[in-house]
Amino acid sequence: VAAVAKGPWLMGEQFTAAERARAAQSALADPRLGEALGHAPTGAAPSVLACAPELIHRWDQPADVVGGAVITAAVEARLCRHPAVIPPSLLERLTEEYLTPAQRATASPGWFGPAMAWASRPVRTGIAALAPSARRIGELDGYEVSDILVHHGMRRYAGQQGVPVMPWEVLAGHSALDACEGVGLRAVYYG
């Protein structure tokens, strides 16, 4: 069974037969489990519980194209081994690379705030493509992109047998010094 890493533990993408039976019993008290079991014919109930289909849909078919570019910028920064927390100024600069010339021309002043609001709006309670992160109360350090989307991005590039093209120069020129080591090593790896 393939596994998705999150923190120090691993969670299988599919329930075993015993886990599925326990989940069916628990679904009598928790309708979210019933919904996950009903929408996961292949048995991938953990992904449904984590809102993977909704998160992937938000990224693949964004209702806000600039917000979609924010998500793409964050995912590709992580695929290039930027640390999990991406500062807002770097995320804004990266996003500009993913906008078409027409989108740049028609973007209103202050475009980044509404795009971030859309990208960080939960698809379900507490689950969003991007989540704010801070070490100290009231001091935003940056945003973390969902591991589900990073995993989806890895699969996308593996299927295309390619690597992210856009963010390298911006990451090299605008990342904090402590982030540059991981980005540089990944750049060498990708050639």
Side-chain angles (χ1 to χ4, degrees):
V1 172
V4 178
K6 176 67 176 152
W9 51 273
L10 295 176
M11 180 175 201
E13 286 185 3
Q14 297 189 9
F15 281 165
T16 64
E19 289 169 333
R20 194 165 180 78
R22 283 193 308 272
Q25 183 64 35
S26 297
L28 299 172
D30 188 344
R32 295 173 300 176
L33 286 170
E35 178 186 6
L37 292 170
H39 286 93
T42 61
S47 292
V48 175
L49 286 170
C51 299
E54 293 97 333
L55 288 169
I56 291 168
H57 178 77
R58 178 162 292 182
W59 182 28
D60 286 344
Q61 298 176 15
D64 179 322
V65 293
V66 180
V70 170
I71 295 171
T72 300
V75 168
E76 290 201 1
R78 292 292 293 132
L79 292 177
C80 293
R81 291 298 187 253
H82 188 279
V85 178
I86 306 168
S89 59
L90 176 59
L91 194 51
E92 182 175 3
R93 180 62 190 93
L94 283 168
T95 301
E96 291 173 9
E97 297 295 314
Y98 292 90
L99 298 175
T100 66
Q103 290 167 337
R104 287 187 203 119
T106 58
S108 61
W111 61 270
F112 186 66
M116 280 304 307
W118 180 85
S120 58
R121 184 177 307 130
V123 294
R124 293 256 182 118
T125 305
I127 298 175
L130 295 175
S133 179
R135 287 172 288 188
R136 296 174 53 96
I137 294 174
E139 295 178 13
L140 177 69
D141 293 327
Y143 294 87
E144 292 188 55
V145 64
S146 166
D147 288 345
I148 290 168
L149 295 179
V150 174
H151 184 70
H152 182 69
M154 286 176 14
R155 285 183 171 173
R156 178 184 289 174
Y157 282 109
Q160 297 171 354
Q161 295 182 340
V163 299
V165 175
M166 301 289 247
W168 297 105
E169 192 171 309
V170 173
L171 286 170
H174 296 85
S175 293
L177 188 57
D178 62 335
C180 288
E181 180 181 6
V183 172
L185 290 172
R186 181 52 74 175
V188 169
Y189 173 80
Y190 281 144

